[in-house]
Amino acid sequence: MLTGQNGYLYGRGTTDDKGPIVATLFAIRELLARQRSAENNAEAAGVDMPNFVFLYQGEGENQSQGIRETVEDNIGFFGPIDLIFISNNYWLGDTTPCLTYGMRGCLEIQIKVEGPGVDLHAGVDGGAIREPILDVVALVNRIVDPATGKYTEPAFYDDVRPVAAEEIALFESLEFDVEAYKATLGVSTLLPAFGGDKAAATSVVDVLMNRWRFPAVSVTSIKGSIANSSIIAKAAQTELTLRTVPDQSPAEIERLVLAHIRREFDALQTTNRLSIVVKSNVPWWLGDIHSRYFQAAEQALEKHWKKRPMLVREGGMSQITTFLKTTLKAPCMHFPMGQASDRAHLQNERIRLRNLRTGKDVLVDFFAAIAQDTPTEKPRSD
Amino acid sequence: MLTGQNGYLYGRGTTDDKGPIVATLFAIRELLARQRSAENNAEAAGVDMPNFVFLYQGEGENQSQGIRETVEDNIGFFGPIDLIFISNNYWLGDTTPCLTYGMRGCLEIQIKVEGPGVDLHAGVDGGAIREPILDVVALVNRIVDPATGKYTEPAFYDDVRPVAAEEIALFESLEFDVEAYKATLGVSTLLPAFGGDKAAATSVVDVLMNRWRFPAVSVTSIKGSIANSSIIAKAAQTELTLRTVPDQSPAEIERLVLAHIRREFDALQTTNRLSIVVKSNVPWWLGDIHSRYFQAAEQALEKHWKKRPMLVREGGMSQITTFLKTTLKAPCMHFPMGQASDRAHLQNERIRLRNLRTGKDVLVDFFAAIAQDTPTEKPRSD
């Protein structure tokens, strides 16, 4: 049940993302009211009104099932689109508004090694056969370096876009408390700077670039076909999650990684059998912060929050962002509305009333601004 | 329900080990009948009758809970004991009777690596922290060689008893079909001979010594605190089962292995935290095949089966064997009665009627023979 307390609304989905949805609808209602008011008052200034096409889904926790088919089957209803506006993430902290301009891609791979036809007793058969778990361990050890967290095939990093001076300045401008982040995670050290030595990363730039701007590899599961201290598992498997970034080609990376894993497995010289399944391969997304959309958004945010917004990225991917961008042939914007401490998806999820109200005001100005110079409405004046 | 078919009795526990229990009781009944008959007939030869102390338990699948306390609390009832007779295992094959003279010990260790205070999102935090799963993988990779299946600390093998010529002859005498064994396991190759090169083991001696006579290491489970392709597990753990053999000291091996694991973990230079739990450390057992008990058993088996029995070991341990041997200060014998194909513990468990009947006849002669020269009954004549 929605509960108000200390300036916050508490309830499941308040910040992710029923709150932002409602704020957007209120912003549009206000724009429509202004337009009607202008039409009724010959002396008032005209109001530019964009066309909005709404796309809501309730399957975000379920791989967004059906959304692709819905868009593809109704493409005439959606197009032409100038901008894809998404608001389902959060600020980097609690005090400075953010605009999200990039997300990493994600290649998920399941690796399985099969050996004997049956699980075996470690006493009866231990010492006789080569164990599939040990092959999985040896393989993982060959493809990810635990000390740096890096993928061991250097070619994996060949196409990572070099860091531009402008980008470093952008990261340096971010307000982020590394010690608080470590405390939240419950760790005493973080991985070293990407490409740096083994000294732990301590700067904001290092930490945030590791999380948003550079690729990462995680071993998200590892297990045998049976977990019993007397039994040798007949098979074992592991799952790798590789976060990809500009300008890695998802298809090329997939080819490279699969070939590399097979090569390293061959080097183990085992008669156990390897199989690899690509579970998903979602492309990264990078918005154009120099576009008129980002600039209009920055101006509207600064006007209402009285401070410049932070331009941030995210480490996780949004499958739907790249799909919409590609299918509707339009740029994307992620417009976060809630605070980092909103506890999205958790108990006591909340959103601050001020964020909803000011968010609505920001959107009114943002939508009005981009309506003025939307190419499909009229030629741009600049 | 017990069902007879084609000379076999089918039913849960028929071979492991209700059948052998009943055969033993029938053998003793026959001995008692002979004794009574001799007492009633002045011309008949006297019958030596040993004293029997029975110890049955129904908790074999449950770490034999309570059996230690039962024996210790009733030690006056049990002692003095000349021989501990156990019949709960099976022949090596289906045609030649066996006597078991050794079992490996077992050191079970649980290794855990803990990192962050919470499971983390691989997209949000991947690239920032050192993952516990990777530390477990690196550690396992450092302590077990997948290609040979050997423990990497050479000192682990220092006290393994050198193979005597007599022992090789004993292994060479065993009837064992390596190709059939591989087919049963569903593997195309077996681990190389202990201490040999990487060419696969093919001889009976190599395969059986690997399973019974030499130590083995198995990684019997490995897993993260969560298995989800989006999540970095905050902790990961693995279980090692080390099978130990004469003359490895269980206590020394435990000290050596724990110190070695800690040393290899330190070499990883991670800030994640290691903990090790010793789940059990059961000593190996080796009987004396030159004792009068083994010789009496061999003679009785040969008389009734018309072939020499095979002297075999087993790879798995029997916790209770070493406990009884130590507590009751008497030698042990494992007297298998059923065939290898009896499918103990499985659907359609069975025992051959001939094995029960001939087994009973063997035991009558065996018990009579050892009663004749049991030191507590009368001085040995040899």
Side-chain angles (χ1 to χ4, degrees):
Chain A
M1 198 174 69
L2 193 67
T3 312
Q5 200 179 345
N6 298 329
Y8 283 86
L9 290 174
Y10 284 82
R12 186 69 175 88
T14 43
T15 197
D16 182 19
D17 46 1
K18 294 171 194 147
I21 286 172
V22 172
T24 307
L25 293 175
F26 272 74
I28 292 168
R29 192 178 74 156
E30 191 168 317
L31 273 178
L32 287 168
R34 275 196 209 175
Q35 193 182 37
R36 273 195 300 275
S37 166
E39 283 166 3
N40 296 339
N41 179 353
E43 288 169 29
V47 172
D48 288 304
M49 189 68 197
N51 287 325
F52 290 92
V53 180
F54 299 98
L55 177 63
Y56 298 128
Q57 66 148 332
E59 295 290 320
E61 310 308 311
N62 195 21
Q63 285 87 47
S64 297
Q65 292 200 6
I67 199 169
R68 287 171 176 71
E69 295 79 355
T70 304
V71 172
E72 283 162 355
D73 292 351
N74 298 282
I75 195 80
F77 178 74
F78 284 99
I81 295 287
D82 295 298
L83 173 69
I84 298 152
F85 173 92
I86 300 171
S87 182
N88 80 331
N89 50 339
Y90 336 102
W91 294 355
L92 180 57
D94 280 357
T95 54
T96 306
C98 297
L99 276 173
T100 307
Y101 69 95
M103 289 181 174
R104 296 193 288 196
C106 182
L107 172 61
E108 281 185 295
I109 295 176
Q110 191 178 69
I111 300 171
K112 189 169 186 181
V113 175
E114 291 173 285
V118 287
D119 297 317
L120 299 174
H121 193 280
V124 175
D125 300 303
I129 64 132
R130 181 155 174 155
E131 303 184 5
I133 281 184
L134 289 177
D135 282 337
V136 166
V137 162
L139 182 62
V140 171
N141 203 63
R142 280 172 167 268
I143 59 186
V144 192
D145 177 349
T148 60
K150 287 183 77 172
Y151 195 76
T152 56
E153 165 58 85
F156 179 74
Y157 299 98
D158 279 354
D159 294 332
V160 174
R161 189 182 296 183
V163 181
E166 182 198 37
E167 227 182 321
I168 294 176
L170 209 56
F171 274 85
E172 282 175 342
S173 75
L174 300 174
E175 294 160 18
F176 183 72
D177 184 336
V178 173
E179 292 308 313
Y181 175 65
K182 283 159 63 177
T184 304
L185 264 48
V187 298
S188 59
T189 54
L190 296 172
L191 287 178
F194 184 87
D197 62 21
K198 290 198 178 182
T202 48
S203 83
V204 168
V205 173
D206 290 339
V207 175
L208 292 181
M209 283 207 177
N210 276 352
R211 292 173 61 199
W212 299 344
R213 203 253 174 242
F214 291 116
V217 189
S218 291
V219 176
T220 49
S221 87
I222 187 163
K223 62 180 177 185
S225 55
I226 187 170
N228 176 313
S229 62
S230 299
I231 306 292
I232 299 167
K234 67 179 175 177
Q237 66 179 55
T238 186
E239 289 194 1
L240 297 190
T241 292
L242 296 102
R243 303 284 164 171
T244 54
V245 300
D247 295 315
Q248 293 179 306
S249 152
E252 280 301 319
I253 285 292
E254 182 177 319
R255 255 192 299 277
L256 176 82
V257 166
L258 265 55
H260 175 247
I261 292 172
R262 291 200 184 95
R263 201 162 63 240
E264 294 299 331
F265 186 78
D266 288 346
L268 296 178
Q269 295 190 286
T270 173
T271 49
N272 291 327
R273 299 165 307 284
L274 174 75
S275 58
I276 311 178
V277 174
V278 175
K279 290 180 65 188
S280 67
N281 190 358
V282 179
W284 46 265
W285 164 72
L286 190 63
D288 176 7
I289 58 173
H290 300 296
S291 69
R292 64 182 187 285
Y293 301 117
F294 272 89
Q295 290 180 351
E298 283 188 82
Q299 283 166 16
L301 284 163
E302 188 166 5
K303 174 180 162 192
H304 291 281
W305 286 103
K306 312 296 180 206
K307 61 200 303 184
R308 279 189 70 77
M310 291 199 283
L311 288 168
V312 300
R313 296 197 190 190
E314 293 211 344
M317 86 294 189
S318 163
Q319 294 207 22
I320 218 57
T321 303
T322 305
F323 167 76
L324 291 175
K325 180 176 179 294
T326 309
T327 308
L328 301 177
K329 299 183 180 57
C332 279
M333 285 197 74
H334 279 267
F335 215 108
M337 201 165 287
Q339 297 167 290
S341 65
D342 278 352
R343 294 190 288 271
H345 292 233
L346 303 178
Q347 289 274 333
N348 293 325
E349 180 173 338
R350 68 180 190 178
I351 193 162
R352 188 165 61 160
L353 277 174
R354 184 179 167 206
N355 281 51
L356 287 176
R357 290 187 182 130
T358 308
K360 182 266 295 170
D361 292 341
V362 168
L363 291 183
V364 167
D365 281 5
F366 171 66
F367 290 143
I370 63 173
Q372 281 185 339
D373 60 2
T374 296
T376 52
E377 300 282 318
K378 57 184 181 183
R380 291 181 67 188
S381 53
D382 58 19
Chain B
M1 199 175 69
L2 192 68
T3 312
Q5 200 179 345
N6 298 329
Y8 283 85
L9 290 174
Y10 285 81
R12 185 69 175 87
T14 43
T15 197
D16 183 17
D17 47 2
K18 294 172 195 148
I21 286 173
V22 171
T24 307
L25 294 175
F26 271 75
I28 293 168
R29 192 176 74 154
E30 193 167 316
L31 273 178
L32 287 168
R34 276 196 209 174
Q35 192 182 36
R36 274 195 298 273
S37 166
E39 284 165 0
N40 296 337
N41 180 353
E43 289 168 32
V47 172
D48 288 304
M49 188 70 199
N51 286 324
F52 290 92
V53 180
F54 298 98
L55 176 63
Y56 298 128
Q57 66 149 330
E59 295 290 318
E61 310 309 310
N62 195 20
Q63 285 87 46
S64 297
Q65 292 200 4
I67 199 168
R68 287 171 176 72
E69 294 80 355
T70 304
V71 172
E72 283 161 354
D73 292 352
N74 299 281
I75 196 80
F77 179 74
F78 284 100
I81 295 287
D82 296 298
L83 173 69
I84 297 151
F85 173 92
I86 300 171
S87 182
N88 79 332
N89 51 339
Y90 336 101
W91 293 356
L92 179 59
D94 280 357
T95 54
T96 306
C98 296
L99 276 173
T100 307
Y101 68 96
M103 289 181 174
R104 296 193 289 196
C106 182
L107 171 61
E108 281 185 296
I109 294 175
Q110 192 178 68
I111 299 171
K112 190 169 185 181
V113 175
E114 292 172 285
V118 288
D119 297 317
L120 299 174
H121 194 281
V124 176
D125 300 303
I129 64 133
R130 182 155 173 157
E131 303 185 5
I133 281 183
L134 289 177
D135 281 337
V136 167
V137 162
L139 182 62
V140 171
N141 203 63
R142 279 171 168 267
I143 59 186
V144 193
D145 176 350
T148 61
K150 287 183 78 173
Y151 195 75
T152 55
E153 165 58 85
F156 179 75
Y157 298 98
D158 279 354
D159 294 332
V160 174
R161 188 183 296 185
V163 181
E166 183 198 38
E167 228 182 320
I168 294 175
L170 208 56
F171 273 85
E172 283 176 341
S173 75
L174 300 174
E175 293 161 20
F176 183 74
D177 184 336
V178 173
E179 291 308 312
Y181 175 65
K182 283 159 61 175
T184 304
L185 264 47
V187 298
S188 58
T189 54
L190 296 172
L191 286 178
F194 184 87
D197 62 20
K198 290 198 179 183
T202 47
S203 83
V204 168
V205 173
D206 290 338
V207 175
L208 292 181
M209 283 206 175
N210 277 351
R211 292 173 61 199
W212 299 343
R213 205 255 171 238
F214 291 116
V217 189
S218 291
V219 177
T220 50
S221 87
I222 187 163
K223 62 180 177 186
S225 55
I226 189 170
N228 176 314
S229 63
S230 298
I231 305 293
I232 299 168
K234 66 179 175 177
Q237 66 179 52
T238 185
E239 290 195 0
L240 297 191
T241 292
L242 296 102
R243 303 284 165 172
T244 53
V245 300
D247 295 313
Q248 293 179 306
S249 152
E252 280 302 319
I253 285 292
E254 183 178 318
R255 256 192 297 276
L256 176 83
V257 166
L258 265 56
H260 175 247
I261 291 173
R262 292 201 182 95
R263 200 162 64 239
E264 293 299 332
F265 186 77
D266 288 345
L268 295 179
Q269 295 190 285
T270 173
T271 49
N272 291 327
R273 299 166 308 283
L274 174 75
S275 59
I276 311 178
V277 174
V278 175
K279 290 181 65 187
S280 67
N281 190 359
V282 179
W284 45 266
W285 164 72
L286 190 64
D288 176 7
I289 58 172
H290 300 297
S291 70
R292 65 182 187 281
Y293 300 117
F294 273 88
Q295 291 180 350
E298 284 188 81
Q299 283 166 14
L301 284 163
E302 187 166 5
K303 173 180 162 192
H304 290 282
W305 286 105
K306 314 294 179 207
K307 62 200 306 185
R308 279 189 69 77
M310 292 198 283
L311 288 168
V312 301
R313 296 196 189 191
E314 292 212 342
M317 86 294 188
S318 164
Q319 295 207 22
I320 218 59
T321 303
T322 305
F323 167 76
L324 292 175
K325 180 175 178 295
T326 309
T327 308
L328 301 176
K329 299 182 180 60
C332 279
M333 284 196 74
H334 278 267
F335 215 108
M337 201 165 286
Q339 297 167 291
S341 66
D342 278 351
R343 295 190 287 273
H345 292 230
L346 304 178
Q347 289 275 335
N348 292 325
E349 180 173 338
R350 67 181 190 177
I351 193 162
R352 189 164 61 159
L353 277 173
R354 186 180 165 205
N355 282 49
L356 287 176
R357 290 186 181 130
T358 309
K360 182 265 295 172
D361 292 340
V362 168
L363 291 182
V364 167
D365 281 4
F366 171 66
F367 291 142
I370 62 172
Q372 281 185 337
D373 60 0
T374 297
T376 53
E377 301 280 318
K378 57 184 181 183
R380 293 182 66 189
S381 54
D382 58 18

